[in-house]
Amino acid sequence: MECVVQGIIETKHVEALEILLQGLCGVHRDSLRIHELCLKSVPNLGLVSSEVRLLCDLEQPEPTWTVRHIGGAMRGAGAEQISVLVRTMAESKVSKNALRLFYALGYKLDHELLRVGFAFQFNSGAPMTVTVSSVNKMLKLHATDEAVPVTPGIQLVEVTAPASSENYTEVAAAMKSFCEYLAPLLHLSKPGVSTGVVPTAAAAAASLMSDGGGTTL
Ligand SMILES: *[C@@H]1O[C@H](CO)[C@@H](O)[C@H](O)[C@H]1NC(C)=O
């Protein structure tokens, strides 16, 4: 399982967010350039359709592919009360001919994206990853060199943390308190709950840029 929250930030404030994250996490950022292929199976003979994502970080010296399946979100009163989404997630390394395998299994390419940005991996009450990226679409099939932004001027911020049925409340609480540090710059909430940019972002960014981000956890 994993806990996840998402938000958006204007590209002009991303540098300030990076300074803040650098100070909070105390680690260096990893650059990302992730080619993502979203595949959907065609439902037939009583099989429900399923969706998998093939991901490849082109920034790595030797890019390798990963397959990720995101399952359903946890439901019920307990899940409603916590401010992060808890969902099942399965991930595995795959060989680079995985796309052909999924085509043979009856999956079809739904869309492909290129996410360009950076991530911080750190521990703040729980191991977490913050990813900041611009989402781009390809004008031609697999043409990652000719990608154009889906939402120009806006980047996606995602915080994820591995969790289990035993510890998700603890992980969610740790994630919630981490998100409070970012609140002046952006609002993070469950995926699908769009909250837009925060009005304090410009002032918070200006102050971070002038003091170089002194905050540490
Ligand atoms: C919660 O459980 C997951 C899965 O076992 C583990 O990776 C993570 O480190 C745990 N988090 C905490 C805060 O114990």
Side-chain angles (χ1 to χ4, degrees):
M1 291 163 81
E2 66 173 6
C3 291
V4 57
V5 287
Q6 286 180 347
I8 56 170
I9 187 166
E10 288 178 88
T11 301
K12 61 183 183 221
H13 301 322
V14 164
E15 196 181 341
L17 176 62
E18 186 182 341
I19 290 173
L20 177 61
L21 288 170
Q22 176 77 61
L24 289 169
C25 308
V27 291
H28 284 288
R29 61 169 235 173
D30 300 315
S31 294
L32 298 177
R33 214 173 121 77
I34 296 178
H35 185 190
E36 176 174 320
L37 299 159
C38 179
L39 306 169
K40 284 190 179 161
S41 70
V42 184
N44 64 353
L45 299 172
L47 289 169
V48 290
S49 80
S50 88
E51 187 179 307
V52 296
R53 280 161 201 273
L54 287 177
L55 308 158
C56 183
D57 187 356
L58 304 174
E59 199 72 359
Q60 297 299 317
E62 295 209 5
T64 55
W65 288 88
T66 298
V67 60
R68 181 183 295 162
H69 176 261
I70 292 179
M74 203 172 68
R75 288 160 196 267
E80 295 285 301
Q81 271 158 27
I82 51 178
S83 56
V84 312
L85 186 78
V86 185
R87 65 188 181 192
T88 56
M89 195 273 288
E91 208 175 65
S92 173
K93 291 270 173 218
V94 286
S95 57
K96 61 173 186 261
N97 58 2
L99 183 59
R100 250 187 294 155
L101 170 74
F102 279 100
Y103 283 159
L105 288 172
Y107 283 81
K108 297 225 176 330
L109 181 65
D110 186 67
H111 61 272
E112 63 179 339
L113 297 172
L114 181 72
R115 295 180 193 270
V116 183
F118 57 86
F120 285 93
Q121 288 188 28
F122 59 98
N123 195 310
S124 169
M128 283 183 228
T129 304
V130 181
T131 310
V132 182
S133 61
S134 71
V135 181
N136 301 275
K137 61 184 176 197
M138 263 67 91
L139 299 175
K140 281 190 282 186
L141 190 68
H142 308 327
T144 50
D145 294 336
E146 294 170 53
V148 295
V150 175
T151 51
I154 297 281
Q155 303 213 6
L156 181 69
V157 181
E158 191 174 67
V159 186
T160 56
S164 67
S165 50
E166 280 78 45
N167 75 7
Y168 73 86
T169 40
E170 188 190 333
V171 173
M175 192 177 265
K176 183 168 185 270
S177 35
F178 177 76
C179 290
E180 278 161 21
Y181 289 101
L182 308 185
L185 273 180
L186 80 155
H187 185 76
L188 291 151
S189 55
K190 295 182 187 187
V193 183
S194 93
T195 46
V197 296
V198 298
T200 51
S207 107
L208 280 159
M209 299 300 285
S210 64
D211 77 4
T215 331
T216 42
L217 284 175

